[in-house]
Amino acid sequence: MKNDWPQWEIFVRSEAGLAHKHVGSLHAADERMALESARDLYTRRNEGVSIWVVRSEHVHATDPAQSEEFFEPSEDKAYRHPTFYHVPEGVKHL
Amino acid sequence: MPAEYPLRFGDNALVLAQRLCAWVGHAPVMEEDVALANVALDLFGQARLWLSYAGELEARGRDEDALTFHRDAREFCNVLLVEHENGDFADTTARSYFYDLWASLALGELTRSGDERIAAIAQKALKEVRYHLRRSQDWLIRLGDGTPESHARMQRAADGLWRFTGELFIGDRLDDEMAANGTGFAPERLRDPWLERVHEAFSAATLTVPAGTWTQRGGKQGVHTEALGYMLAEMQVLPRAMPEARW
Amino acid sequence: MSDGIEGRPEPDDARQQCFESRLDRALKIEPPDWMPDAYRKTLTRQISQHAHSEIVGMLPEGNWITRAPSLHRKLILLAKVQDEAGHGLYLYSAAESLGTPRDELVAALHAGKAKYSSIFNYPTLTWADVGAIGWLVDGAAIINQIPITRCSYGPYARAMVRICKEESFHQRQGFDIMWTLAHGTPPQRAMAQDALDRWWWPSVMMFGPPDAASVHNEQSLRWKIKLFTNDELRQKFIDQTVPQAERLRLTIPDPQLRWNEETQHYEIGPVDWDEFYRVVGGDGPCNRERLSARVDAWNDGAWVRDAAAEHARKRAGSEAA
């Protein structure tokens, strides 16, 4: 029987108001252990106020081979950015 | 206030921390090296607070280090449970679980101490010990309700340490005095809540609560097991060998 | 090289070009990106060796946790050795992102097939050795590691940023121990000098063989998983450490050590590379002890790992039911 502990991805919220951020991974037999080990491993220096753990196999990611079709179509839509627009001198609150 | 009272709590934390830190580098899994070190760091930190306070109360010029490195085994007043050798991971888990559960109850009492300093130290230590208890209880359950081998090891470890748990709940004259003046608590009061939690955890762990009723005692009075002397010999070797040196 | 028709490169060739152009533009390579097999293999070896070094490196200093001479020193040392376990784990996590599971990497270490920094095959005989390791070995490690925070592989670079940030206290606490000993009683001073005598040359060797004899230097530099050569890093270490030893009023055990006014660098006497290769090859004072300590921890812990896995399975089963 294979008894390797599964791998977990660890996300830490460094302070209230900020999003959880991926910090790395670790191995744990269950989710309680994953949370405890994540606390000891990734917040030893007071780096966190909240931790998420997710089994690595449950993370679905985009395929880098498809990054062109995934991400490039948004590159030419400059009109989505406020800097695209000219603001006439003297006009405020835009 | 007698220095011995905070010294007892300090010695418990110190001796258990000294035991736990020997695991670092040799734990069953690397994550556990980090975790055990964290618990030991917390406990050494608590020991420093208790011992410093004891040193001040004693007013003989002994600081935390003098009390740690220049006392003989007969002067240590920790309970026997914590000086027990590490053994295997089940022994370490049983020792930590029994102690953590007791310490969380004892520190809870001390947060209401009439002595401000004691209440403040207990307040800080309680947060740490609650976390230690979460961990040691999780491990007790995992090992108890794991494989047949881990179950057997966990049961054997609990059985082996059981006779040292009674001492946690036996008060002496100092305990009575401290309970009476509102500084401390009567250890007997913690027995039932402790046992109740042990029964719950053991049931979740599919373990049998040991039945033995004989209690080995003496730690608080400085009558220890043979194991403590060896532990202190190792811990104290440098400051004893070079008493004039500063580190 | 691909033999694809010009203008229509084979897919692998195109990916190779894309990979190289990313390196040229100083863009990071991330785990799911295509990378040449050799890059993956070299990185896996380098990162896992680095991880093994952290884990084995816990042992020589770990020796002294139970014997640290004050509670203050004990806490610092324990926190430092704990950091090393943490750093090992960050690095295994980075290595695993290249596709080899941690247990496999660790198994290679236990089988004696994977290397780790040979400095940890030397014994810690006195308390001063703990100081010397922090000052010299961590000092050398930091010099090695800081450039890696800019290496081409994202997970390795990120792990290294974290490690460097945490490690800055390691070297200082070591120097602080040395400073206290050097300003202490005559036996303490002698202890400090003795530690420097024994740790100096192994520390100089930590940067690996001279560039002329180094197997991996050139390729790794091109791949930006190494940013300076062994000799460049070694020189930096020597230049920074010699004045520190002078401040400690300790003597570096090298009669040929001298300042070269022209190059503005220190020059050292010949390094005993035979010793280096011997220790790397397995015949150092503590190779066997270090490895067997790790193997024992692993074997003794097997029933614990099995139990936790079994318990998790039971729980998953009862939840599903």
Side-chain angles (χ1 to χ4, degrees):
Chain A
M1 190 172 296
K2 198 168 157 61
N3 279 333
D4 299 351
W5 290 356
Q7 193 181 20
W8 303 72
E9 299 301 322
I10 312 302
F11 301 81
V12 173
R13 185 201 294 285
S14 57
E15 56 181 283
L18 295 180
H20 285 78
K21 189 176 158 199
H22 184 243
V23 290
S25 65
L26 52 76
H27 290 263
D30 56 57
E31 70 283 353
R32 274 179 78 90
M33 195 195 288
L35 284 168
E36 289 162 9
S37 296
R39 175 243 198 207
D40 289 335
L41 191 55
Y42 290 104
T43 67
R44 288 198 302 286
R45 286 172 173 77
N46 208 13
E47 296 104 327
V49 295
S50 165
I51 299 172
W52 288 348
V53 298
V54 181
R55 283 277 289 266
S56 304
E57 66 198 47
H58 293 159
V59 174
H60 299 272
T62 52
D63 179 355
Q66 291 170 359
S67 7
E68 287 180 12
E69 53 260 48
F70 246 89
F71 301 112
E72 281 181 23
S74 70
E75 266 174 26
D76 65 352
K77 298 182 177 57
Y79 45 81
R80 285 192 189 276
H81 300 279
T83 46
F84 179 77
Y85 301 92
H86 169 73
V87 179
E89 202 155 325
V91 178
K92 288 179 181 166
H93 307 300
L94 264 182
Chain B
M1 159 104 125
E4 196 190 329
Y5 198 60
L7 195 56
R8 287 179 176 184
F9 298 102
D11 282 351
N12 284 340
L14 175 67
V15 171
L16 183 55
Q18 175 72 10
R19 284 296 188 208
L20 288 176
C21 74
W23 270 105
V24 176
H26 309 277
V29 62
M30 288 175 247
E31 279 83 354
E32 203 56 30
D33 284 303
V34 182
L36 286 163
N38 250 8
V39 176
L41 283 170
D42 285 346
L43 292 172
F44 277 128
Q46 294 172 18
R48 293 179 80 178
L49 297 172
W50 290 120
L51 294 185
S52 297
Y53 188 32
E56 288 168 34
L57 290 169
E58 184 190 61
R60 282 169 52 197
R62 295 200 289 183
D63 63 7
E64 57 179 48
D65 284 332
L67 288 169
T68 300
F69 297 100
H70 294 283
R71 274 185 303 152
D72 292 329
R74 288 284 282 113
E75 298 164 82
F76 272 75
C77 47
N78 56 281
V79 291
L80 301 179
L81 173 68
V82 291
E83 71 201 40
H84 199 267
E85 281 160 13
N86 283 341
D88 68 11
F89 195 67
D91 294 315
T92 288
T93 297
R95 185 185 61 196
S96 277
Y97 172 69
F98 289 147
Y99 173 79
D100 295 344
L101 179 53
W102 173 80
S104 68
L105 297 168
L107 292 167
E109 296 284 331
L110 291 180
T111 57
R112 293 186 290 276
S113 170
D115 183 288
E116 271 178 33
R117 186 82 168 268
I118 286 187
I121 298 173
Q123 199 89 48
K124 178 186 182 292
L126 181 59
K127 286 179 208 151
E128 296 169 347
V129 167
R130 279 190 180 141
Y131 183 79
H132 304 166
L133 175 61
R134 172 190 156 107
R135 264 181 39 83
S136 55
Q137 180 170 310
D138 280 358
W139 270 116
L140 179 93
I141 293 170
R142 280 188 200 108
L143 297 180
D145 187 22
T147 61
E149 181 184 2
S150 72
H151 178 85
R153 283 181 187 251
M154 197 62 243
Q155 185 67 57
R156 181 192 46 72
D159 292 346
L161 285 174
W162 189 250
R163 70 189 159 106
F164 299 108
T165 58
E167 187 188 17
L168 300 168
F169 310 107
I170 301 174
D172 61 2
R173 230 182 47 195
L174 180 58
D175 286 310
D176 294 344
E177 195 188 314
M178 292 296 109
N181 70 16
T183 306
F185 59 92
E188 291 79 3
R189 286 184 42 198
L190 306 185
R191 188 193 304 268
D192 286 345
W194 186 86
L195 265 177
E196 195 180 319
R197 294 280 303 271
V198 167
H199 276 276
E200 284 169 26
F202 271 55
S203 149
T206 70
L207 293 167
T208 309
V209 177
T213 51
W214 178 65
T215 282
Q216 188 171 340
R217 51 197 285 198
K220 286 200 231 181
Q221 293 74 34
V223 182
H224 290 273
T225 63
E226 290 178 347
L228 184 68
Y230 291 99
M231 195 202 89
L232 294 183
E234 180 176 351
M235 181 173 83
Q236 298 176 335
V237 59
L238 259 183
R240 295 274 188 134
M242 302 169 86
E244 72 294 350
R246 295 174 54 86
W247 303 96
Chain C
M1 282 306 288
S2 156
D3 53 2
I5 304 156
E6 214 187 327
R8 298 180 56 195
E10 293 289 328
D12 252 19
D13 202 20
R15 289 190 291 191
Q16 176 83 32
Q17 277 173 18
C18 170
F19 170 79
E20 272 166 23
S21 104
R22 289 181 74 162
L23 291 187
D24 292 342
R25 286 177 291 152
L27 293 178
K28 301 286 182 209
I29 308 300
E30 292 293 341
D33 294 338
W34 185 88
M35 60 189 87
D37 283 344
Y39 176 86
R40 187 185 298 276
K41 229 176 115 184
T42 304
L43 258 181
T44 303
R45 195 194 60 233
Q46 185 178 330
I47 302 174
S48 61
Q49 277 183 14
H50 197 157
H52 301 329
S53 299
E54 296 280 357
I55 296 302
V56 176
M58 295 168 70
L59 299 170
E61 288 173 284
N63 272 337
W64 283 90
I65 295 173
T66 56
R67 289 177 291 168
S70 74
L71 285 179
H72 176 67
R73 293 287 182 204
K74 197 190 277 283
L75 282 170
I76 294 171
L77 181 59
L78 181 52
K80 175 183 191 275
V81 175
Q82 183 196 39
D83 273 352
E84 279 151 16
H87 297 171
L89 288 168
Y90 304 157
L91 288 161
Y92 282 123
S93 160
E96 283 192 286
S97 69
L98 290 158
T100 312
R102 183 168 102 193
D103 286 358
E104 235 173 86
L105 300 170
V106 169
L109 171 72
H110 292 171
K113 287 185 205 145
K115 293 201 168 24
Y116 54 88
S117 182
S118 70
I119 191 99
F120 301 119
N121 291 318
Y122 291 85
T124 46
L125 304 177
T126 73
W127 171 250
D129 290 17
V130 173
I133 289 183
W135 172 38
L136 300 173
V137 177
D138 290 297
I142 291 169
I143 288 176
N144 251 329
Q145 289 168 354
I146 285 178
I148 305 176
T149 61
R150 291 180 284 122
C151 81
S152 63
Y153 187 59
Y156 192 22
R158 289 193 289 275
M160 209 47 77
V161 167
R162 213 182 166 91
I163 289 171
C164 285
K165 209 159 70 182
E166 297 188 351
E167 205 142 85
S168 51
F169 100 82
H170 293 185
Q171 188 192 12
R172 278 195 199 177
Q173 66 86 34
F175 189 80
D176 190 58
I177 290 175
M178 294 304 274
W179 184 266
T180 306
L181 295 175
H183 292 81
T185 62
Q188 283 180 303
R189 242 194 107 63
M191 197 191 266
Q193 181 62 54
D194 168 60
L196 175 56
D197 290 347
R198 283 180 290 109
W199 290 93
W200 170 253
W201 287 110
S203 302
V204 168
M205 294 176 200
M206 265 182 79
F207 298 90
D211 295 349
S214 176
V215 205
H216 309 299
N217 253 336
E218 207 180 308
Q219 175 72 84
S220 296
L221 288 166
R222 201 155 55 79
W223 277 337
K224 295 186 180 160
I225 52 182
K226 196 176 167 94
L227 290 103
F228 297 97
T229 70
N230 294 354
D231 286 337
E232 286 167 344
L233 294 166
R234 182 171 11 252
Q235 188 62 53
K236 195 165 183 241
F237 170 73
I238 292 162
D239 288 344
Q240 100 177 19
T241 309
V242 173
Q244 292 168 351
E246 284 167 1
R247 283 301 309 276
L248 291 168
R249 278 185 257 136
L250 296 176
T251 310
I252 288 185
D254 178 359
Q256 293 178 54
L257 179 76
R258 67 175 200 102
W259 173 251
N260 183 328
E261 191 59 44
E262 214 167 285
T263 60
Q264 292 287 299
H265 288 297
Y266 285 95
E267 288 173 1
I268 59 169
V271 179
D272 181 0
W273 290 111
D274 288 345
E275 173 180 328
F276 173 78
Y277 288 114
R278 185 165 50 72
V279 178
V280 169
D283 288 331
C286 298
N287 297 53
R288 287 160 189 81
E289 289 79 358
R290 299 294 184 241
L291 204 55
S292 72
R294 289 310 308 159
V295 171
D296 288 350
W298 179 259
N299 290 340
D300 294 347
W303 68 271
V304 177
R305 297 190 302 276
D306 290 348
E310 179 60 21
H311 179 73
R313 263 194 295 271
K314 283 185 189 175
R315 267 193 42 217
S318 71
E319 270 165 30

